[in-house]
Amino acid sequence: MPGYLLGIDNGSQSTKVTVFDEHGTVHARARVPLRPNDTPRPGVVEHPDDDLWDSIGAATRAALEAFDGRPEDILGVGLCTIRFCRAMLRADGTLAQPVLSWMDERVSRPYEHVNPDVRYVTASSGYITARMTGQFRDTAANYQGVWPIDTDTWTWIDRPELPREMLFELVQPGDELGTITAEAAAHTGLPEGVPMFATANDKAVEALGGGLGDDRTLLLSLGTYIAGMTTGARNVHDAKAFWTNFACRPREYLYESHGIRRGMWTVSWLRDLLGEQDWLNEGAATVPPGSDGLVAVLDWLAPVDASFRRGAFLGFDGRQGPFHMYRAVLEAIALTMCGNGNAMAAELGTEFDRVLVSGGGADSDVLMRIVADAFDLPARRAQGGAELGSAICAGVGLGLFGGFDEATAAMVRPGTAFTPDHATHERYRQLVDVYRELPTYTDPLFTWLASAGD
């Protein structure tokens, strides 16, 4: 009988669950939106109630209901969750307080032990692992930033503010986390005893599922946080144009350019204001490159080190309408990330030959053409994402493949390619400089507005 792999992608806006076979063919999928975050005061962004656990249960049940096979045909589960979240757990693995979103300012500071009910401090992946398997174990590849981890050895460092006994055991991507408990089986519809496998942080899992495997390829990840990524074996410290993260392959690294916070969230926000997405995409394709002089500043969520920044449109002169606004945001995304990606390539001493584009935004032909023209490189849709990357980790962990190279060759398929128009690129090449220099002009304005109590 055939066996199947189930990949979980618990993202910032929804949980997606997909059932794959060992060739990467999709046999069922489901998506359940997350509830809006609780933001009771500035800087506080929490996941309401037990929303992560609830959405994973609902999405998994829905995927299994759409699956033509039997739940017993699921051989293994790969788990990917939102990175940079912080979960504080009681001794039994349940939440002692709401999970902190990656947008919560507290996750940029070391943990402070102020709640006596907290026994463990972990990432969202650790929390879901504990609920699914009963094991206090998590992937090393989902810990960065203020977590006490040695990025050379992928192991914990002793720090007094977060004692080792409050941290989970660390494993590598593709290692088994545990097996589905009876409680988790009732919650998700998965059979009790099915093994679950570690992945990494969500961007690295997305990169694996998208087929990123060399330093001549840039993966443009169009998510709530937009990043440009490439991969390598060096743990590069103190880079200026990028930062080094763990990859979804043991002992390898993912290099991430500077990104855009609330990137595709901004596109969704604008769509909700202006109209239906297909209509906007069709209309944006008729707008000339450069949007007739309209420029978008994409700080709808200000960076931590420049909290005064805001989003803006500049350059209205009466020619522009909703299609110009929509295209201006798409161009701002592509041109900002072109500048960021090229800066990363220069610091790494490489050049990109191609761009892979993943995430929901990759479904837009107009955005794919803008990306190809901005980079002056072939741009290809990545067919897989974090769900497929999760399933690949499960397949490797189960021994269905000889390693990650064999697994990606078997399961990742190339998507549609878009060829750049060199004349359009010349127009965009000038605008890359505009977007790079924009903060020089807008920062003083937004600083003044912030001081005036906007």
Side-chain angles (χ1 to χ4, degrees), residues 11-26:
S12 294
Q13 299 183 62
S14 65
T15 293
K16 298 179 284 293
V17 175
T18 303
V19 178
F20 300 92
D21 64 26
E22 60 189 78
H23 304 292
T25 302
V26 173

PDB file of all heavy atoms in Angstrom, residues 11-26:
ATOM      1  N   GLY A  11       1.650  29.278   9.970  1.00  0.00           N
ATOM      2  CA  GLY A  11       2.198  30.588   9.628  1.00  0.00           C
ATOM      3  C   GLY A  11       1.644  31.704  10.475  1.00  0.00           C
ATOM      4  O   GLY A  11       0.927  31.486  11.457  1.00  0.00           O
ATOM      5  N   SER A  12       1.949  32.929  10.069  1.00  0.00           N
ATOM      6  CA  SER A  12       1.527  34.100  10.827  1.00  0.00           C
ATOM      7  C   SER A  12       0.039  34.389  10.675  1.00  0.00           C
ATOM      8  O   SER A  12      -0.572  34.967  11.577  1.00  0.00           O
ATOM      9  CB  SER A  12       2.313  35.336  10.374  1.00  0.00           C
ATOM     10  OG  SER A  12       3.673  35.219  10.688  1.00  0.00           O
ATOM     11  N   GLN A  13      -0.542  34.036   9.512  1.00  0.00           N
ATOM     12  CA  GLN A  13      -1.937  34.362   9.264  1.00  0.00           C
ATOM     13  C   GLN A  13      -2.851  33.141   9.186  1.00  0.00           C
ATOM     14  O   GLN A  13      -4.066  33.286   9.300  1.00  0.00           O
ATOM     15  CB  GLN A  13      -2.053  35.158   7.956  1.00  0.00           C
ATOM     16  CG  GLN A  13      -1.287  36.473   7.983  1.00  0.00           C
ATOM     17  CD  GLN A  13      -1.474  37.274   6.706  1.00  0.00           C
ATOM     18  OE1 GLN A  13      -2.578  37.671   6.361  1.00  0.00           O
ATOM     19  NE2 GLN A  13      -0.386  37.526   6.004  1.00  0.00           N
ATOM     20  N   SER A  14      -2.258  31.950   8.984  1.00  0.00           N
ATOM     21  CA  SER A  14      -3.087  30.754   8.880  1.00  0.00           C
ATOM     22  C   SER A  14      -2.224  29.527   9.127  1.00  0.00           C
ATOM     23  O   SER A  14      -0.991  29.592   9.109  1.00  0.00           O
ATOM     24  CB  SER A  14      -3.733  30.658   7.488  1.00  0.00           C
ATOM     25  OG  SER A  14      -2.738  30.483   6.493  1.00  0.00           O
ATOM     26  N   THR A  15      -2.893  28.405   9.349  1.00  0.00           N
ATOM     27  CA  THR A  15      -2.232  27.104   9.393  1.00  0.00           C
ATOM     28  C   THR A  15      -2.640  26.331   8.155  1.00  0.00           C
ATOM     29  O   THR A  15      -3.829  26.218   7.835  1.00  0.00           O
ATOM     30  CB  THR A  15      -2.623  26.317  10.645  1.00  0.00           C
ATOM     31  OG1 THR A  15      -2.095  26.982  11.796  1.00  0.00           O
ATOM     32  CG2 THR A  15      -2.071  24.902  10.599  1.00  0.00           C
ATOM     33  N   LYS A  16      -1.637  25.817   7.444  1.00  0.00           N
ATOM     34  CA  LYS A  16      -1.877  25.036   6.226  1.00  0.00           C
ATOM     35  C   LYS A  16      -1.346  23.627   6.448  1.00  0.00           C
ATOM     36  O   LYS A  16      -0.246  23.451   6.972  1.00  0.00           O
ATOM     37  CB  LYS A  16      -1.190  25.693   5.032  1.00  0.00           C
ATOM     38  CG  LYS A  16      -1.722  27.094   4.719  1.00  0.00           C
ATOM     39  CD  LYS A  16      -1.017  27.734   3.555  1.00  0.00           C
ATOM     40  CE  LYS A  16       0.368  28.229   3.934  1.00  0.00           C
ATOM     41  NZ  LYS A  16       0.330  29.346   4.887  1.00  0.00           N
ATOM     42  N   VAL A  17      -2.108  22.655   6.044  1.00  0.00           N
ATOM     43  CA  VAL A  17      -1.739  21.242   6.180  1.00  0.00           C
ATOM     44  C   VAL A  17      -1.947  20.564   4.837  1.00  0.00           C
ATOM     45  O   VAL A  17      -3.004  20.725   4.209  1.00  0.00           O
ATOM     46  CB  VAL A  17      -2.571  20.552   7.281  1.00  0.00           C
ATOM     47  CG1 VAL A  17      -2.267  19.057   7.316  1.00  0.00           C
ATOM     48  CG2 VAL A  17      -2.292  21.188   8.638  1.00  0.00           C
ATOM     49  N   THR A  18      -0.944  19.822   4.392  1.00  0.00           N
ATOM     50  CA  THR A  18      -1.016  19.153   3.092  1.00  0.00           C
ATOM     51  C   THR A  18      -0.546  17.714   3.229  1.00  0.00           C
ATOM     52  O   THR A  18       0.416  17.433   3.947  1.00  0.00           O
ATOM     53  CB  THR A  18      -0.146  19.877   2.049  1.00  0.00           C
ATOM     54  OG1 THR A  18      -0.571  21.241   1.952  1.00  0.00           O
ATOM     55  CG2 THR A  18      -0.273  19.233   0.682  1.00  0.00           C
ATOM     56  N   VAL A  19      -1.221  16.816   2.517  1.00  0.00           N
ATOM     57  CA  VAL A  19      -0.828  15.417   2.439  1.00  0.00           C
ATOM     58  C   VAL A  19      -0.133  15.188   1.092  1.00  0.00           C
ATOM     59  O   VAL A  19      -0.705  15.481   0.038  1.00  0.00           O
ATOM     60  CB  VAL A  19      -2.044  14.477   2.570  1.00  0.00           C
ATOM     61  CG1 VAL A  19      -1.606  13.019   2.445  1.00  0.00           C
ATOM     62  CG2 VAL A  19      -2.766  14.708   3.896  1.00  0.00           C
ATOM     63  N   PHE A  20       1.103  14.696   1.136  1.00  0.00           N
ATOM     64  CA  PHE A  20       1.899  14.412  -0.064  1.00  0.00           C
ATOM     65  C   PHE A  20       2.198  12.923  -0.148  1.00  0.00           C
ATOM     66  O   PHE A  20       2.276  12.234   0.874  1.00  0.00           O
ATOM     67  CB  PHE A  20       3.251  15.137  -0.006  1.00  0.00           C
ATOM     68  CG  PHE A  20       3.180  16.626   0.092  1.00  0.00           C
ATOM     69  CD1 PHE A  20       3.173  17.259   1.335  1.00  0.00           C
ATOM     70  CD2 PHE A  20       3.155  17.418  -1.055  1.00  0.00           C
ATOM     71  CE1 PHE A  20       3.139  18.640   1.439  1.00  0.00           C
ATOM     72  CE2 PHE A  20       3.120  18.796  -0.974  1.00  0.00           C
ATOM     73  CZ  PHE A  20       3.102  19.410   0.278  1.00  0.00           C
ATOM     74  N   ASP A  21       2.453  12.462  -1.387  1.00  0.00           N
ATOM     75  CA  ASP A  21       3.096  11.166  -1.514  1.00  0.00           C
ATOM     76  C   ASP A  21       4.602  11.392  -1.634  1.00  0.00           C
ATOM     77  O   ASP A  21       5.081  12.531  -1.594  1.00  0.00           O
ATOM     78  CB  ASP A  21       2.528  10.359  -2.682  1.00  0.00           C
ATOM     79  CG  ASP A  21       2.762  10.998  -4.051  1.00  0.00           C
ATOM     80  OD1 ASP A  21       3.735  11.762  -4.207  1.00  0.00           O
ATOM     81  OD2 ASP A  21       1.969  10.719  -4.978  1.00  0.00           O
ATOM     82  N   GLU A  22       5.380  10.322  -1.804  1.00  0.00           N
ATOM     83  CA  GLU A  22       6.834  10.453  -1.794  1.00  0.00           C
ATOM     84  C   GLU A  22       7.389  11.055  -3.078  1.00  0.00           C
ATOM     85  O   GLU A  22       8.591  11.298  -3.180  1.00  0.00           O
ATOM     86  CB  GLU A  22       7.482   9.099  -1.534  1.00  0.00           C
ATOM     87  CG  GLU A  22       7.151   8.036  -2.573  1.00  0.00           C
ATOM     88  CD  GLU A  22       7.633   6.656  -2.139  1.00  0.00           C
ATOM     89  OE1 GLU A  22       6.951   6.041  -1.300  1.00  0.00           O
ATOM     90  OE2 GLU A  22       8.692   6.238  -2.634  1.00  0.00           O
ATOM     91  N   HIS A  23       6.505  11.364  -4.031  1.00  0.00           N
ATOM     92  CA  HIS A  23       6.922  12.059  -5.249  1.00  0.00           C
ATOM     93  C   HIS A  23       6.567  13.542  -5.191  1.00  0.00           C
ATOM     94  O   HIS A  23       6.767  14.261  -6.179  1.00  0.00           O
ATOM     95  CB  HIS A  23       6.272  11.425  -6.479  1.00  0.00           C
ATOM     96  CG  HIS A  23       6.556   9.956  -6.612  1.00  0.00           C
ATOM     97  ND1 HIS A  23       7.806   9.449  -6.901  1.00  0.00           N
ATOM     98  CD2 HIS A  23       5.740   8.881  -6.459  1.00  0.00           C
ATOM     99  CE1 HIS A  23       7.759   8.140  -6.935  1.00  0.00           C
ATOM    100  NE2 HIS A  23       6.516   7.759  -6.671  1.00  0.00           N
ATOM    101  N   GLY A  24       6.030  13.999  -4.067  1.00  0.00           N
ATOM    102  CA  GLY A  24       5.666  15.401  -3.921  1.00  0.00           C
ATOM    103  C   GLY A  24       4.295  15.753  -4.454  1.00  0.00           C
ATOM    104  O   GLY A  24       3.919  16.926  -4.458  1.00  0.00           O
ATOM    105  N   THR A  25       3.539  14.769  -4.890  1.00  0.00           N
ATOM    106  CA  THR A  25       2.182  15.025  -5.392  1.00  0.00           C
ATOM    107  C   THR A  25       1.253  15.325  -4.229  1.00  0.00           C
ATOM    108  O   THR A  25       1.262  14.614  -3.212  1.00  0.00           O
ATOM    109  CB  THR A  25       1.666  13.812  -6.182  1.00  0.00           C
ATOM    110  OG1 THR A  25       2.572  13.546  -7.255  1.00  0.00           O
ATOM    111  CG2 THR A  25       0.277  14.073  -6.734  1.00  0.00           C
ATOM    112  N   VAL A  26       0.435  16.353  -4.387  1.00  0.00           N
ATOM    113  CA  VAL A  26      -0.520  16.732  -3.349  1.00  0.00           C
ATOM    114  C   VAL A  26      -1.759  15.854  -3.453  1.00  0.00           C
ATOM    115  O   VAL A  26      -2.358  15.722  -4.531  1.00  0.00           O
ATOM    116  CB  VAL A  26      -0.911  18.220  -3.493  1.00  0.00           C
ATOM    117  CG1 VAL A  26      -2.040  18.573  -2.526  1.00  0.00           C
ATOM    118  CG2 VAL A  26       0.297  19.117  -3.257  1.00  0.00           C
TER     119      VAL A  26
END
